[in-house]
């Protein structure tokens, strides 16, 4: 376990070494303790059913805790949603292409209806453990969110969901350093690594579309707090 912790700490400066330095000879950075969800969604509203992708990533309390008996989590961050455009838009696109072909003209990409709709926004989540073992735990929680439709934010939607999750987890902390000729660095890691699955169910609401029911299932990843720096004493080499 101690060896894994040292490897985790070394990951920070090694990753930073791959990033072009903002100032000559040195780069430093830090990542907060985080949880990232990637899932497939189904949304039903307005008489149609669509599917899509949801990605959420943010800072979370339980990801920064070293305690195996942590019983609550609270966090917030960024959320991205992409759903397929409705069948009517797809049909309109096909009809427009046929009309353009009959007229012997060309249809620019800007005139084609989008194949999907994207949303960007933020979320706030709270959860409590309902079962816990030495290396696994189950969560029951709730999430609220606010998203704006891309690219011009002309539509807003709010959402509320109940959430259940299960994960394998392991606390880690460590400090590491490396040096190789002119290049060196150091890093620190503190918190919990985790890998799990989750399901969500709830609703989204927008002024023009009304209420839509949403169900999501996917994978979640926890990462601890990580910070480090890398320096190069021979930038001309």
């Amino acid at each position: 376990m101690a060896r894994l912790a040292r490897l985790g700490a070394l990951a920070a400066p090694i990753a930073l070494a791959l990033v072009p330095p903002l100032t000559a000879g040195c780069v430093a950075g830090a990542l907060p303790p985080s949880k990232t969800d990637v899932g497939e969604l189904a949304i039903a509203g307005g008489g149609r059913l669509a599917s899509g992708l949801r990605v959420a990533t943010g800072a979370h309390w339980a990801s920064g805790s070293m305690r195996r008996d942590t019983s609550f989590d609270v966090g917030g961050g960024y959320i991205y949603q992409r759903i397929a455009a409705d069948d009517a838009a797809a049909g309109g696109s096909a009809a427009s292409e046929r009309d353009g072909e009959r007229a012997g003209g060309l249809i620019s990409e800007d005139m084609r209806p989008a194949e999907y709709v994207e949303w960007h926004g933020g979320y706030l989540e709270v959860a409590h453990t309902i079962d816990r073992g030495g290396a696994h735990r189950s969560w029951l929680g709730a999430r609220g969110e606010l998203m704006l439709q891309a690219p011009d934010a002309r539509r807003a939607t709010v959402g509320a969901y109940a959430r259940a999750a299960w994960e394998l987890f392991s606390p880690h902390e460590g400090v590491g350093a490396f040096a190789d000729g002119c290049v060196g660095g150091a890093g620190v890691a503190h918190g919990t690594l985790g890998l799990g699955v989750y399901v969500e169910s709830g609703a989204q609401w927008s002024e023009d579309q009304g209420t839509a029911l949403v169900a999501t299932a996917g994978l979640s990843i926890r990462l601890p707090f990580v910070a480090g720096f890398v320096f190069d004493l021979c930038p001309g080499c």
Side-chain angles (χ1 to χ4, degrees), residues 58 76 116 154 184 197 204:
Y116 52 82
R154 67 180 183 273
V197 294
Q204 293 181 1

Side-chain angles (χ1 to χ4, degrees), residues 18-88:
L18 302 177
V19 180
L22 299 178
T23 58
C26 183
V27 61
L31 295 175
S34 64
K35 181 170 71 70
T36 299
D37 295 337
V38 180
E40 185 80 9
L41 72 86
I43 180 169
R48 72 182 188 95
L49 176 66
S51 62
L53 171 72
R54 281 170 67 88
V55 179
T57 185
H60 279 254
W61 164 262
S63 300
S65 173
M66 292 289 297
R67 298 184 56 174
R68 291 185 179 272
D69 62 350
T70 295
S71 61
F72 75 96
D73 188 20
V74 59
Y78 165 78
I79 188 165
Y80 167 81
Q81 176 175 292
R82 187 180 75 179
I83 60 175
D86 57 47
D87 294 337

Side-chain angles (χ1 to χ4, degrees), residues 9 11 18 31 36 41 62 78 102 108 120 127 131 175 180 185 191 194 196 224:
L18 302 177
L31 295 175
T36 299
L41 72 86
Y78 165 78
R102 294 192 189 101
S108 69
H120 302 268
D131 179 64
V175 177
D180 183 10

